[in-house]
Amino acid sequence: MKTSAKKPTKAKPTNQVRIIGGQHRRRLLSFVDAQGLRPTPDRLKETIFNWLTGYLTDAKVLDACAGSGALGFEALSRGAKQVTFIEPHAAQARMLTQNAELLKRSDQVVILHADAISALKTMKDKFDIVFIDPPYALDLWQPILQSLLDRELIHADSTIYLESDKPIDAVLDDKMLEQFTTLKSTKVGQAMAYLLMPKDKDAIK
């Protein structure tokens, strides 16, 4: 009896997210079904990018917990110069590469297949905009911000988007909060969203 070996199956995208503004408006990006991967809803995404009006043109962006890549690719669509995506899930990291190719933006994208803290330890360049939207259960908000400060990866005028399922004073300690000004905040469903900027301009060059 003749048998045939099964070919290895690729991780298939089971979901899609839409770019809502800019050059790639209405384009759909695929992402895999992975635990903790939770794209930002369109309603909140619209608010975020309204907040970032005036900051995006030619910006160097870090999507520290990329997931679907919705925030980073939205930033590219709206005028960012370069986006670095950090994504620990191997299949989703490959999907980010495919989406960059689909949008013909591969030359403006860096994709790091690693966890956020490990990846940040390898970086040297400063970012103008940072998205921090990790899986809520991992409690990465404070460690990521601390790494950004320790590695000097943000400058005095960097803007930082932070999304959590709890108030900001429940995910950042007092010492960390003292270092940032909250420019904007909102709540959409479970998500609490904040736009931060370094407070002490002399301390962060």
Side-chain angles (χ1 to χ4, degrees), residues 106-123:
S106 298
D107 60 335
Q108 293 174 271
V109 166
V110 176
I111 297 167
L112 301 177
H113 172 217
D115 67 89
I117 303 304
S118 297
L120 289 170
K121 289 178 181 177
T122 70
M123 296 182 181

Side-chain angles (χ1 to χ4, degrees), residues 65-107:
C65 303
S68 69
L71 296 178
F73 284 118
E74 188 78 37
L76 270 181
S77 181
R78 295 175 184 243
K81 181 180 182 180
Q82 184 189 58
V83 179
T84 297
F85 295 93
I86 303 174
E87 176 51 48
H89 191 285
Q92 182 53 34
R94 291 193 294 272
M95 194 62 64
L96 292 171
T97 299
Q98 291 176 26
N99 285 329
E101 292 169 352
L102 176 70
L103 299 176
K104 297 181 171 55
R105 293 297 193 104
S106 298
D107 60 335

Side-chain angles (χ1 to χ4, degrees), residues 21-35:
Q23 181 180 345
H24 301 297
R25 186 180 181 187
R26 297 192 180 93
R27 293 295 295 271
L28 292 172
L29 305 173
S30 298
F31 63 95
V32 300
D33 188 10
Q35 185 175 2

